[in-house]
Amino acid sequence: MPSRLASLLVQDGLVSAQKMAEAFQRQVLRGGSLDTALLELGLIDEEVLVEYLGQASELPPPDPPCAEPGDTPPSQWLEAALAQRYHVAPLALDGGALQVAVVDPPDRAELAELSRTTGRAIDARIVPEVRLYVALERAYFMPPPSRYAQLAAKLQRLAEERARDPLARRAVRRQRATEAPPPSEPGAADAPAISPAVGAASLVMSSMDGVPHALPRVESRAVAITPLVPPKALPLRLGMETLARAVDRDTVLVTLCRM
């Protein structure tokens, strides 16, 4: 899923390829998930990240919390040992279905096993890694690692400043770069055109602040640059080495997608 998440965010111009490479490097050095590195670096708002996690994993985000006084504690819906074993956290109980937080698309066999063990249908919902630790703390009073406690506090401050729920669903305005801007100078219409693929990549890569903008018009290349990436999925270590040697934007983008 991390490769698909990175591809979607770079493709839609929400995170530049250079910043995405920094997030991958942070993930390598400090561990954790890619979404944790993105949030720690402040590269994307959490509510936007939740939407893209849903797209990348093909899982829905959690429903807004609606617990009322007197509700059964989450710890009674799911034992702590089971939550740790299956790396999930209980979120809500809707009829006979138990809604649980996950950070990766879960294995169907494991979900079926958890359903048989609990006697309830399991409704998996995708969340950022930090929210899984927050949910575990609320359910079982398990203090999260200091790294995630600090990140959760930072996100809470941001949510209070903006007066909105970071997990509430909202429409995300995507900034997809699809084509180069039309020529505006006389005679430019007869100039060689930049291919749509190169134009889109140039628009995305030229953005350092998350907003794609046009690069100056350049002459078409006689020979297209071939990304220096092996034609297969890349292990993280090899991908980072390739990024360190990359000299063109195409190589950076394709490397991130294949990582």
Side-chain angles (χ1 to χ4, degrees), residues 124-143:
R125 302 299 181 100
I126 193 72
V127 297
E129 185 180 34
V130 63
R131 292 301 170 190
L132 178 70
Y133 284 105
V134 170
L136 289 172
E137 181 182 23
R138 289 176 178 173
Y140 308 110
F141 304 99
M142 299 168 52

Side-chain angles (χ1 to χ4, degrees), residues 178-256:
T178 57
E179 58 182 12
S184 57
E185 54 187 283
D190 299 329
I194 300 176
S195 67
V198 174
S202 299
L203 286 172
V204 173
M205 298 308 173
S206 65
S207 170
M208 294 298 294
D209 55 1
V211 180
H213 47 83
L215 293 173
R217 185 174 62 85
V218 298
E219 297 298 328
S220 63
R221 298 178 293 214
V223 179
I225 293 178
T226 302
L228 303 176
V229 183
K232 59 182 180 180
L234 290 176
L236 193 56
R237 180 185 60 79
L238 180 57
M240 296 303 299
E241 292 176 355
T242 303
L243 286 174
R245 298 193 303 268
V247 295
D248 63 276
R249 295 187 180 96
D250 292 347
T251 297
V252 173
L253 181 59
V254 175
T255 301
L256 286 172

Side-chain angles (χ1 to χ4, degrees), residues 29-52:
L29 295 176
R30 301 200 60 187
S33 64
L34 176 61
D35 55 79
T36 295
L38 291 169
L39 291 173
E40 288 177 332
L41 293 172
L43 299 179
I44 190 170
D45 288 340
E46 185 181 5
E47 57 266 34
V48 178
L49 176 62
V50 169
E51 294 291 336
Y52 276 78

